[in-house]
Amino acid sequence: MRFERKYRIEGKPAATVKQLLRFHPASFRELYPDRQVNNIYFDTPALETFHQNVYGKNERKKFRVRWYGEILDAAGEAQLEIKIKHNELGEKQSFAVQAFSLPDIESLTQEVNRVANGAVMQPILLNAYRRSYLISRDGRFRVTVDRDMRYHTLLASAWFHRYQIADDAVIVEVKYEEAEDEYAPFITQHMPFRQAKHSKYVQGIQLTI
């Protein structure tokens, strides 16, 4: 299980944010090339996981299908990810799903429901963003820098033509295993940003409904 500390930064371009992270005493450096992340979030018709997140329920789950790359209508190597939250700690279960094309995600929805333990799930939100990956010099702390966030609601229809909403903020996430928590203050105290609660799923719902 791991911790994720999040920072929402407005008014600074991603390049400036990454430069500030390189000046951190932990000496963050690039880990992987940048890439586009795509997600379809699933929820119950009553938006139970959305409300659990908004109200800060200690034990909660989030369902999303994730894939990478610029092409949205020929998704391959997608994964169903169930993010499980236990207070501040989180873990993730991943399941491979068959390739699919937008807007034909009926078979994908059926796959999600097969592993949802009886909950009836439906596609709610589509989003995409650019992600940079960094790691501390000692390899114990990872950071992601997300920008160019775009959202499209699937509540009324699964049809996708273009993204409706853009969010200009930069989202930084510091990720580390539970065993490293005693060393985390060294990382967080030197972060030049203010920590904040943030969920892309919640943000996307609030922007598009």
Side-chain angles (χ1 to χ4, degrees), residues 32 41 50 76 132 157 178 204:
Y32 304 119
Y41 292 95
F50 167 78
S132 299
S157 169
E178 183 178 4

Side-chain angles (χ1 to χ4, degrees), residues 67-98:
W67 70 101
Y68 301 94
E70 308 290 337
I71 301 175
L72 291 184
D73 61 355
E77 299 184 359
Q79 295 273 331
L80 165 60
E81 298 180 346
I82 304 175
K83 294 196 71 176
I84 305 169
K85 196 77 169 180
H86 307 278
N87 296 310
E88 292 188 337
L89 281 166
E91 60 180 320
K92 182 169 63 177
Q93 299 174 349
S94 298
F95 307 85
V97 296
Q98 295 182 359

Side-chain angles (χ1 to χ4, degrees), residues 18-57:
K18 291 166 65 175
Q19 188 64 26
L20 290 169
L21 289 168
R22 293 187 185 99
F23 291 144
H24 190 284
S27 300
F28 288 104
R29 57 177 175 80
E30 300 285 343
L31 178 60
Y32 304 119
D34 292 3
R35 58 182 175 176
Q36 178 167 302
V37 182
N38 309 289
N39 300 293
I40 298 175
Y41 292 95
F42 287 78
D43 206 336
T44 66
L47 301 183
E48 291 178 26
T49 65
F50 167 78
H51 292 296
Q52 288 173 0
N53 195 305
V54 168
Y55 293 114
K57 186 176 179 180

Side-chain angles (χ1 to χ4, degrees), residues 94-146:
S94 298
F95 307 85
V97 296
Q98 295 182 359
F100 59 91
S101 298
L102 294 171
D104 182 17
I105 55 175
E106 181 177 352
S107 60
L108 177 63
T109 302
Q110 293 172 355
E111 287 191 75
V112 172
N113 278 289
R114 277 197 290 269
V115 298
N117 294 324
V120 177
M121 310 298 288
Q122 65 184 52
I124 301 295
L125 183 75
L126 174 67
N127 91 316
Y129 49 88
R130 298 293 299 176
R131 168 165 283 186
S132 299
Y133 301 82
L134 297 89
I135 192 167
S136 61
R137 179 175 50 204
D138 60 14
R140 296 188 297 182
F141 294 85
R142 293 177 54 194
V143 172
T144 55
V145 180
D146 299 336

